[in-house]
């Protein structure tokens, strides 16, 4: 993969030894845009770890009953079949668990994870994540789909992926056939942060995924210096809709280690988000989400649940408990 642009920079080995760096030819072709280089090129500031940052920012470990599974909400689980991605995003909330920091899930671990799903009848949806599920081979993905298809109470399969907009040539006819052959409905949530990511090859990949019969939605991370202004978000959400991808979540960035330079104050995020309503069709507008630090789960951010104070905000979770979130 084209790492030449990365190694030409200053000496960043201290960063890349800690957090894998990798791009694709497709991404390399887009790196002239600051919004793209910022997402993908390592930065010395990644070595600055602030006191409230954490290797497990949303508390996945506490909700992992067996290796490879995160079960926080009753009707759905995350299944992480591996920890490799096609690219490594510098702001990744799982950066201490993917790439060189990831532990491999053995065949045996995977079969125990599938046993867990089989044994828990309340699991309605299995969300494949990782790592990136589309970084698996077609053969492994097919086996996984076949195993899930055999579990009667699992009704939906969801895939969280960055591949369509990071390595679009990976979306092949063979991969689409695996999806098309699934007996259960498949939702694909595409992680896309900027309209520049939707160049021609990505649009074509998305079209192919549509033909595979999957429902396509998007997730975006709100990132300082990448997409933290109203015009950029408006353009992104309109482009996604035009490509028949429904904007689903806009995530406030998690407090992953060495990512402070990507975070904006939550009050600023609410201000930008509030402006979207006035500007664009409601169908284009995702939910603005925060995963409450400490493993308390996700909340949709709207003014009714958030009290803005001088140097922090107070967030009321789904149980009515108030959490202090420091900007
Ligand atoms: C985000 C997340 C999900 C998916 O949540 P949705 O609101 O259904 O998109 C599921 N499990 C865990 C542990 C999560 O963090
Ligand atoms: S593709 Fe997803 S999991 Fe992989 S580095 Fe990027 S944000 Fe993290």
């Amino acid at each position: 993969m084209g790492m030449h642009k990365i190694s030409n920079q200053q000496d960043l080995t201290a960063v890349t030894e800690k957090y894998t760096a990798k791009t694709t030819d497709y991404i390399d072709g887009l790196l002239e845009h600051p919004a793209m280089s910022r997402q993908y090129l390592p930065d010395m500031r990644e070595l600055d770890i602030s006191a409230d940052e954490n290797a497990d920012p949303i508390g996945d470990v506490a909700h992992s009953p067996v290796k490879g599974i995160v079960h926080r909400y009753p009707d759905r689980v995350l299944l992480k079949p591996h920890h490799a991605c096609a690219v490594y995003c510098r702001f990744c909330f799982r950066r201490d668990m993917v790439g060189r920091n990831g532990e491999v899930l053995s065949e045996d671990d995977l079969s125990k994870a599938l046993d867990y799903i089989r044994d828990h009848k309340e699991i309605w949806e299995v969300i494949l994540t990782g790592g990136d599920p589309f970084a698996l081979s077609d053969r492994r993905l097919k086996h996984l789909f076949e195993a899930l298809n055999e579990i009667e109470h699992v009704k939906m399969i969801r895939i969280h992926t960055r591949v369509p907009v990071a390595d679009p040539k990976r979306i092949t006819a063979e991969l689409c056939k695996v999806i098309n052959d699934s007996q259960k409905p498949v939702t694909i949530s595409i992680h896309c942060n900027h309209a520049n990511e939707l160049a021609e090859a990505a649009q074509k990949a998305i079209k192919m995924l549509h033909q595979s019969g999957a429902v396509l939605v998007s997730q975006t991370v709100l990132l300082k210096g990448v997409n933290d202004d109203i015009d950029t978000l408006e353009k992104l959400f309109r482009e996604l809709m035009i490509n028949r991808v429904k904007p689903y979540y806009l995530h406030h960035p998690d407090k992953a280690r060495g990512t402070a330079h990507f975070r904006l104050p939550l009050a600023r995020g609410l201000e930008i988000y509030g402006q979207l309503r006035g500007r664009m069709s409601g169908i284009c507008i995702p939910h603005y989400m925060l995963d409450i630090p400490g493993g308390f789960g996700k909340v949709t951010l709207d003014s009714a649940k958030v009290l803005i104070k001088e140097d922090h905000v107070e967030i009321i979770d789904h149980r009515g408990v108030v959490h202090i979130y420091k900007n």
Side-chain angles (χ1 to χ4, degrees), residues 58 60 70 72-73 76 78 127 158 248-249 291 298:
I58 63 170
D60 278 347
V70 184
R72 189 201 307 275
Y73 307 106
R76 55 210 191 275
L78 305 183
I127 302 170
R158 198 195 312 178
Y248 173 51
Y249 278 170
D291 228 302
K298 290 187 179 72

Side-chain angles (χ1 to χ4, degrees), residues 114-324:
L114 289 165
D115 286 343
Y116 179 87
I117 296 170
R118 219 171 275 123
D119 292 343
H120 288 78
K121 302 253 182 307
E122 72 275 24
I123 299 171
W124 179 80
E125 182 181 31
V126 174
I127 302 170
L128 302 179
T129 177
D132 197 312
F134 284 163
L136 287 170
S137 68
D138 293 341
R139 187 185 55 87
R140 289 191 62 198
L141 210 52
K142 185 169 175 317
H143 284 163
L144 204 48
F145 268 73
E146 283 169 356
L148 294 173
N149 274 324
E150 274 165 25
I151 305 175
E152 168 133 39
H153 58 269
V154 171
K155 301 295 183 200
M156 300 283 292
I157 300 172
R158 198 195 312 178
I159 293 171
H160 280 189
T161 180
R162 193 130 166 76
V163 161
V165 297
D167 189 19
K169 69 176 183 333
R170 169 71 186 98
I171 308 300
T172 58
E174 293 73 30
L175 174 67
C176 290
K177 184 169 182 328
V178 174
I179 298 164
N180 205 18
D181 285 348
S182 171
Q183 289 146 46
K184 320 233 165 169
V186 177
T187 308
I188 299 174
S189 179
I190 301 172
H191 172 180
C192 183
N193 298 330
H194 196 283
N196 285 341
E197 291 169 41
L198 294 163
E200 200 180 329
Q203 295 191 21
K204 184 170 162 256
I206 289 170
K207 213 168 252 172
M208 288 174 70
L209 290 174
H210 267 296
Q211 284 159 1
S212 78
V215 169
L216 303 189
V217 300
S218 69
Q219 329 190 51
T220 297
V221 187
L222 182 59
L223 297 167
K224 192 158 111 188
V226 173
N227 58 15
D228 61 332
D229 68 88
I230 176 86
D231 293 331
T232 303
L233 287 180
E234 179 181 357
K235 184 155 186 231
L236 168 63
F237 297 142
R238 287 195 197 278
E239 284 297 313
L240 285 166
M241 269 319 285
I242 288 167
N243 283 281
R244 291 184 289 156
V245 178
K246 163 72 184 110
Y248 173 51
Y249 278 170
L250 172 66
H251 296 280
H252 194 74
D254 294 312
K255 292 185 175 179
R257 295 202 289 186
T259 64
H261 54 295
F262 284 111
R263 285 197 302 275
L264 58 158
L266 215 150
R268 172 73 187 130
L270 279 168
E271 187 187 340
I272 300 169
Y273 183 70
Q275 290 170 338
L276 280 175
R277 266 289 149 203
R279 273 215 196 187
M280 65 194 314
S281 163
I283 206 106
C284 302
I285 302 180
H287 297 289
Y288 182 27
M289 306 298 291
L290 177 73
D291 228 302
I292 304 176
F296 296 97
K298 290 187 179 72
V299 277
T300 56
L301 292 169
D302 55 56
S303 37
K305 293 206 184 97
V306 180
L307 304 170
I308 297 172
K309 304 285 176 179
E310 185 78 26
D311 63 345
H312 70 278
V313 292
E314 291 177 10
I315 295 150
I316 303 156
D317 73 15
H318 60 107
R319 296 186 185 86
V321 179
V322 177
H323 302 272
I324 308 289

Side-chain angles (χ1 to χ4, degrees), residues 40 84-95 98 129-132 161-162 191:
Y40 287 111
C85 299
V87 290
Y88 289 96
C89 315
R90 307 322 297 170
F91 52 84
C92 175
F93 72 118
R94 279 205 194 110
R95 59 196 332 230
V98 298
T129 177
D132 197 312
T161 180
R162 193 130 166 76
H191 172 180

